[in-house]
Amino acid sequence: MIKTILPPATIGIVGGGQLGQMLALSAKSMGYKVGILDPTLDAPAAQVADFQITADYDDEAALLELAQRSAVLTYEFENVAEKTLQKVTAYTSLPQGINLLHVSGQRLREKSFLKNIQVPVTNFASVTDESSLQVAIEKIGYPALLKTVSGGYDGHGQLDINNPSDISKASQLYEQVPCILEARQAFQAEASMMVTRDLNKQIYTFPLVTNQHKNHILHTTIAANQFSDTLRHKAQTYAEKIANELDLYGVLGIEFFVINDHELVVNELAPRPHNSGHYTIEACNISQFEAHIRSICGLPIPYIKQEQPAVMRNLLGNDLTLARELFNKHPEWHFHDYGKSGIRPQRKLGHITVVGKDVDELLATTAMLKGED
């Protein structure tokens, strides 16, 4: 059992992006102090925190300083050096632990873990060279996706293998880093669910929501009870099994492929709050960020319920500029600007959430955001 950490203790967050920012805002509202470790000066999370240590994530001295100044540490993204993080656990609490990063930070380990605990995943095989790729294709077949086992996100580090002519391009990935070949699933929808546990290991899940991607980046999340009771129950069952097997504290994001009305498979795990859970800030009685803070600080978590349907729309690149211009015409928008420096195409710079009873109206109110469509 983890220990209870009460305000005004300091929570140290490794990573200063938008997830860290929303974690910090939640923690500050509860009376905690917040420190950030991030190499970017005035990172989004640092803008709302009490202090920032400006250094690389694998800077052992910087991480040690954050640990010594914090009652509890958490991380907001996967690419944290496990060995460096392990060294600071002697100085402060790290409720999420190292194993969660170890499993979820490498796709082959993640898929193997899920398969071993009998949670359904797509067929997969390891690829390290031309010979193992041929063996993997014989096992998996076409179409398939070749992915780097670590480091890739939002479509980076992956390649479609749809037919034999695509094989020649594969060497650009597996000659650089180990890879995994995954069977491409024919799915009806993409979905996700957030899960967490409290200090007594009681499990809490957020609703199963629909995700729409464009160019491999999350575009829109629809949280409106779209799935059958069977699917919701299966998603909850898988989430509970994963959370218990990982001895989870903090929030874990689980991405699913919905195969049909009765079947889904897990696509990926995210060892922290997830982009598709942003709607919870306005639509649920407790946000995924407050749930994360409560979990790592050993606080009780209330039964989670969604108050009303919601739609969350990511603001990518020039979407943010357009949204700023239109904001004064849309009082229904819950507008989140992450404060990142520089507008670049396909970069997540903010999001808008709208809540209400009519999902079509919620989708229509963000339909004018065409900057990155």
Side-chain angles (χ1 to χ4, degrees), residues 60 112 173 228 234 278:
E60 189 172 321
S112 297
L173 285 185
S228 67
K234 281 192 172 182
H278 292 349

Side-chain angles (χ1 to χ4, degrees), residues 214 219 313 318-319 322 326 366-373:
K214 292 189 178 182
H219 185 273
R313 167 69 150 85
N318 288 325
D319 284 344
L322 183 56
L326 294 172
T366 60
M368 68 290 298
L369 293 169
K370 302 292 186 181
E372 292 289 333
D373 282 2

Side-chain angles (χ1 to χ4, degrees), residues 23-223:
L23 282 171
L25 286 168
S26 183
K28 292 291 292 179
S29 72
M30 298 163 70
Y32 290 97
K33 303 294 184 183
V34 176
I36 303 295
L37 172 64
D38 195 278
T40 303
L41 187 64
D42 200 31
Q47 295 170 23
V48 298
D50 294 278
F51 66 89
Q52 175 180 2
I53 298 172
T54 307
D56 291 333
Y57 305 119
D58 59 356
D59 186 321
E60 189 172 321
L63 198 54
L64 177 60
E65 179 187 349
L66 181 64
Q68 291 174 329
R69 297 175 67 177
S70 304
V72 60
L73 274 188
T74 186
Y75 40 79
E76 63 127 28
F77 70 118
E78 293 88 328
N79 299 319
V80 185
E82 293 176 28
K83 291 183 179 179
T84 306
L85 201 56
Q86 182 68 61
K87 292 180 180 179
V88 303
T89 56
Y91 301 93
T92 192
S93 173
L94 182 70
Q96 288 163 283
I98 307 298
N99 185 55
L100 178 61
L101 273 183
H102 184 72
V103 171
S104 64
Q106 207 260 31
R107 289 189 174 95
L108 194 59
R109 284 198 295 264
E110 181 178 275
K111 287 287 193 298
S112 297
F113 160 77
L114 293 167
K115 184 178 180 180
N116 288 340
I117 65 171
Q118 299 182 319
V119 170
V121 294
T122 191
N123 289 334
F124 65 95
S126 174
V127 173
T128 56
D129 53 25
E130 184 178 356
S131 175
S132 60
L133 176 60
Q134 291 293 343
V135 171
I137 289 174
E138 289 176 11
K139 174 185 175 182
I140 302 299
Y142 301 104
L145 278 171
L146 184 68
K147 301 179 180 179
T148 57
V149 295
S150 60
Y153 65 96
D154 290 345
H156 299 287
Q158 67 181 53
L159 182 68
D160 291 320
I161 306 292
N162 296 321
N163 52 62
S165 65
D166 292 327
I167 294 176
S168 61
K169 298 179 290 186
S171 61
Q172 62 186 277
L173 285 185
Y174 66 68
E175 286 183 353
Q176 303 297 319
V177 291
C179 292
I180 181 174
L181 189 72
E182 299 178 2
R184 183 183 285 279
Q185 288 286 340
F187 56 85
Q188 291 182 351
E190 294 177 86
S192 61
M193 174 179 281
M194 310 302 120
V195 60
T196 190
R197 299 193 312 172
D198 66 15
L199 74 166
N200 296 315
K201 299 187 178 181
Q202 175 68 40
I203 293 175
Y204 301 83
T205 58
F206 285 88
L208 184 66
V209 299
T210 301
N211 296 321
Q212 299 174 350
H213 291 78
K214 292 189 178 182
N215 300 318
H216 302 287
I217 302 174
L218 181 63
H219 185 273
T220 300
T221 292
I222 304 171

Side-chain angles (χ1 to χ4, degrees), residues 314-328:
N314 267 336
L315 299 176
L316 307 175
N318 288 325
D319 284 344
L320 179 64
T321 302
L322 183 56
R324 285 170 174 168
E325 294 171 354
L326 294 172
F327 188 29
N328 65 338

